[in-house]
Amino acid sequence: MKAGWERSNDYIMPDLHEVRNMLKPFLKGRFVEKIARLSGGLNNSNIKVTTDSHEDFVLRIYNERSNNMKIEAEIARLLDGRVPVPQTLYADSSCSVFHYPFMLMKWVPGVQLSEMVDRKNEKILWTAAHAAGEALANIHAVTFPESGFLDDELNIKERVEITADTFLEFIEEMIEKGYVSKHLEETLCGDVVRFAQEHASLMDDPGDQHSLVHSDFNPLNILVVEEKESEMKISAILDWEYAFSGSPLMDIGNMLRYEGMGSTGMLKPFILSYQENGGVLPEDWLKKAKLLDLIALLDLLNKEECGEVRVKDITGLIMNMMNEWERYEAVQRTFGKV
């Protein structure tokens, strides 16, 4: 699950003196005692900050000047009380105190859901996946007037809607004019284009396209805690910088990206809980979710430079998706209307 993937950007690690200076306006006399690099995340940099009063925070540093930080802060405010998200305590986008925008968030206890997957404890994984399904249904209950990318006030700044034609345009543009063909073998590129052309008609009716979409909803960005023995609870959904208004199936495809159709992992409890909590699945939902995730996978390769581990992993995911395609029909029938 993105194990060993190379970072998209260099890790930004200020020294202790710099962190103290960055957070001085917020801490108001409290003293930063130590800092520690946090694992996870391939784009921005997350640092644990501990004060002399034994308070813990997360300092999140953004690698570029953009509105991503403001989007995250606004979404945290919007979802407060609906979905567990880290609380934003302080932010500075001026780049006058430090070279990059940064945000301070409340420390949230928990471990990544991916750790629960690795433990292979069926009961724990079932309850954790069930909790994730409920959280995602609550996220998708937040809607916008239309689909598209958000500005820093969560208004639609650029309308984008998926149809069969736009789906094919995205795929062909990234492979034929972008950098994907630099990283995938020519034969596989041709196979992907033909596969997309064959199944593009499913995208003429992908269902709702104006829900809040996390766009990186997966076990690495979901923190869980054990409430009681083998009962898991979501403590936070992390990393909202790429959120937009679109199809809920994009998040479902991302969450199920590593789920083999023969596994007994997250798929069943996750989808059952999603439906039980108000999530709506259109006809052919799994096939449509996989096609939308194909766009996301190719976008992860659509960079001039990509690490070897990332390329190998994504290549395997794309091939598995095409190889398992016929099995999706039976899986879809397992989940009726709730």
Side-chain angles (χ1 to χ4, degrees), residues 127-144:
T127 62
H130 194 275
E134 179 182 0
L136 189 60
N138 291 334
I139 291 167
H140 292 163
V142 178
T143 60
F144 298 87

Side-chain angles (χ1 to χ4, degrees), residues 184 188 257-258 297 301 309-323:
L184 292 187
L188 181 55
R257 182 177 288 173
Y258 288 86
L297 289 171
L301 290 177
V309 176
R310 178 193 294 231
V311 172
K312 182 178 179 181
D313 197 18
I314 293 175
T315 299
L317 288 167
I318 292 172
M319 293 176 68
N320 286 343
M321 184 268 294
M322 294 192 294
N323 290 336

Side-chain angles (χ1 to χ4, degrees), residues 167-178 193 197:
F167 168 74
L168 279 177
E169 285 174 13
F170 287 138
I171 299 294
E172 293 171 354
E173 180 81 17
M174 288 188 285
I175 290 178
E176 297 172 2
K177 298 180 181 179
V193 170
Q197 291 169 342

